[in-house]
Amino acid sequence: KNTRLWFLQSSQHKASSKQMFSVLSQMMPKHVIRQMLRKQFVGDSVDIVVADSIERVSILFVLIADFEKFTNTRTPSELLT
């Protein structure tokens, strides 16, 4: 009985982790996500510092016409794809 419960919990944890990784991978590089997931939680707070040194960076700010109307008609999942 304990083995079955452990298996079910383990399966749920793996599915949850896979889903979390999938969502995060649409927002940031996979190597950053892996670093974050490897870090340990300390008490009630999360002790995570993930930083890379980049010599040159370009930042593009874009104003999209009717973006608010566009986002109001879509789910968060649709906006990420």
Side-chain angles (χ1 to χ4, degrees):
K1 186 175 181 178
N2 286 337
T3 304
R4 179 174 161 68
L5 180 61
W6 174 84
F7 177 78
L8 291 173
Q9 289 173 338
S10 177
S11 295
Q12 289 173 344
H13 177 71
K14 286 178 185 177
S16 177
S17 293
K18 189 174 183 178
Q19 182 180 15
M20 179 175 37
F21 189 86
S22 175
V23 170
L24 288 173
S25 67
Q26 295 179 27
M27 294 183 253
M28 62 184 75
K30 288 181 171 68
H31 74 277
V32 174
I33 300 168
R34 287 187 190 103
Q35 288 178 13
M36 288 173 49
L37 294 177
R38 271 186 281 208
K39 299 291 181 178
Q40 296 295 318
F41 292 96
V42 179
D44 291 333
S45 64
V46 179
D47 184 23
I48 296 177
V49 177
V50 178
D52 290 329
S53 176
I54 301 172
E55 292 183 25
R56 292 184 167 195
V57 174
S58 295
I59 300 175
L60 174 65
F61 292 94
V62 178
L63 178 61
I64 301 173
D66 296 322
F67 185 71
E68 186 174 347
K69 188 186 332 179
F70 176 80
T71 60
N72 286 336
T73 60
R74 287 167 177 72
T75 66
S77 296
E78 290 173 326
L79 292 173
L80 291 174
T81 57

